[in-house]
Amino acid sequence: MTHSSKDRWNELALFLVVTGVGVFALSSLADLLIADQDPTVNGVLVVLPSVLIGLGTARAYRRRRAAGGGGG
């Protein structure tokens, strides 16, 4: 089954939103946990997990759409 252009844009938007929220949440959490210590946090420790969560969410969306249960 081929993806429509709309599905690909929806998948990209979902990935970007989830990744952005993840970066914000992990950055805030890291700031709270190490506020009194060295304030530098390696960006990879924040961005990489967020990107992986975003990719997983986009993959789940794609699989649900391919299975015919997208609801839209």
Side-chain angles (χ1 to χ4, degrees), residues 1-28:
M1 179 175 169
T2 62
H3 282 314
S4 70
S5 177
K6 178 183 172 189
D7 285 341
R8 291 205 186 267
W9 283 112
N10 287 342
E11 186 178 333
L12 177 63
L14 181 65
F15 165 72
L16 292 174
V17 168
V18 169
T19 300
V21 168
V23 166
F24 177 75
L26 289 176
S27 297
S28 299

Side-chain angles (χ1 to χ4, degrees), residues 31-66:
D31 185 45
L32 288 173
L33 293 176
I34 62 168
D36 58 341
Q37 300 171 4
D38 184 23
T40 60
V41 175
N42 190 349
V44 173
L45 296 176
V46 172
V47 175
L48 184 62
S50 300
V51 167
L52 293 176
I53 292 168
L55 286 172
T57 304
R59 182 177 180 201
Y61 171 81
R62 183 182 334 119
R63 284 185 168 194
R64 188 174 24 209
R65 295 294 295 180

